[in-house]
Amino acid sequence: YGNVNYKTYKGHNGEVRSVAFVPGKREFFTSGSDRQVLKWSLDSKDQTLQVVYSGTDIIEVIAVSPDASWLALGGNNSVIKMVPLKGNAVGFDMTGHKGKIKSLIFSYDGKYLYSASLDGKVLKWDLAARTSTNITNGTMAITSIDIASNGSYIAGISTDGNVLVWNPDSNSDSFRPQTALKNIKVIRFNTDNSILAMGDINGNIELWDVSKRTKISEVKAHTAQVNDIRFNTTLKQMATVSS
């Protein structure tokens, strides 16, 4: 506090639901329970904010496309809203889920969007055609996902806290990390490789090599539920946050 490297950004009225950085830029988006999505600049001396969405839905999750041309918004009414950030493109809605959206992830070429919701399905959206394909393995209801950088693996958390890893192009290529009924709450791939981090309800963190299907390490990191995990690949660090 008081350090030049510390800033506070105030613009939402109520709880902040999601944060997403713009790839390659010092900008980020936030969504709040005030039913707004705001855009912020890290370099501005003043607290300049831009309202990019204001509507009737509370946006629970945000994703920015790799070229920063589209913003995908997932709300509590099962609709995915696509908001253009460049040019004269027109925004549109995509419907296919029947539950609250919990995860949105763009493919690394920006052509596809993966979504998971409380209906237990994982959908792969062709953004040019605006059509979806159900890529759920079928063995469990998946409500939250992450994708490896090369797109060869998707990891998902089921409604009962188990984890499934599968190839989105081949549902037969799948496996379940043995988490011994630990009730996993968050998963995150390290973008440099096929390392998957998992956090459970009791504060444990596990690292798995999904290509070898083996557990690398486990640590009692927190004394309560792990809520999020992020990797800093430049400094080879991992950050975790807990209740």
Side-chain angles (χ1 to χ4, degrees):
Y1 295 101
N3 189 293
V4 293
N5 297 314
Y6 174 84
K7 288 183 180 179
T8 302
Y9 296 86
K10 295 180 181 179
H12 285 293
N13 180 21
E15 180 181 356
V16 178
R17 296 298 184 97
S18 187
V19 179
F21 279 90
V22 180
K25 293 186 178 181
R26 292 175 58 79
E27 298 172 339
F28 65 99
F29 294 92
T30 59
S31 68
S33 57
D34 55 5
R35 295 175 169 79
Q36 291 192 120
V37 176
L38 307 179
K39 181 181 180 181
W40 305 85
S41 171
L42 286 172
D43 293 323
S44 175
K45 293 182 179 179
D46 301 318
Q47 283 192 28
T48 57
L49 62 89
Q50 174 186 349
V51 178
V52 296
Y53 170 83
S54 181
T56 58
D57 300 329
I58 295 177
I59 302 303
E60 299 282 352
V61 60
I62 311 172
V64 188
S65 65
D67 62 355
S69 61
W70 286 96
L71 194 65
L73 308 177
N76 52 7
N77 70 345
S78 77
V79 175
I80 299 171
K81 295 182 178 295
M82 300 298 296
V83 178
L85 301 176
K86 294 180 180 178
N88 298 318
V90 178
F92 58 93
D93 290 353
M94 300 192 299
T95 56
H97 284 294
K98 295 181 180 179
K100 180 190 293 186
I101 307 297
K102 296 295 288 182
S103 295
L104 291 172
I105 301 169
F106 281 94
S107 64
Y108 283 77
D109 58 10
K111 295 180 180 179
Y112 301 97
L113 179 72
Y114 296 90
S115 61
S117 109
L118 288 181
D119 62 11
K121 293 181 180 179
V122 178
L123 301 182
K124 180 181 181 180
W125 298 87
D126 184 323
L127 295 177
R130 302 184 187 179
T131 57
S132 66
T133 304
N134 184 357
I135 62 167
T136 311
N137 177 273
T139 59
M140 62 174 68
I142 302 297
T143 58
S144 181
I145 57 170
D146 197 22
I147 186 168
S149 58
N150 58 9
S152 59
Y153 294 104
I154 285 183
I157 305 175
S158 68
T159 51
D160 56 2
N162 287 310
V163 175
L164 180 72
V165 180
W166 76 100
N167 183 334
D169 298 321
S170 175
N171 283 344
S172 61
D173 181 17
S174 65
F175 85 102
R176 295 189 189 187
Q178 295 302 311
T179 54
L181 303 176
K182 288 185 177 178
N183 198 349
I184 303 300
K185 290 299 183 180
V186 60
I187 51 175
R188 193 75 61 196
F189 275 106
N190 184 344
T191 54
D192 277 356
N193 47 42
S194 56
I195 303 301
L196 178 68
M198 301 186 291
D200 71 16
I201 197 170
N202 295 315
N204 299 298
I205 303 286
E206 295 185 11
L207 294 179
W208 283 72
D209 185 330
V210 297
S211 62
K212 297 179 180 178
R213 303 188 176 189
T214 56
K215 182 163 69 173
I216 300 171
S217 63
E218 179 180 358
V219 62
K220 176 72 172 176
H222 296 280
T223 57
Q225 176 178 314
V226 181
N227 294 319
D228 204 3
I229 301 171
R230 296 287 169 169
F231 284 96
N232 180 339
T233 54
T234 305
L235 299 177
K236 300 188 185 304
Q237 293 174 332
M238 179 177 70
T240 61
V241 63
S242 160
S243 297

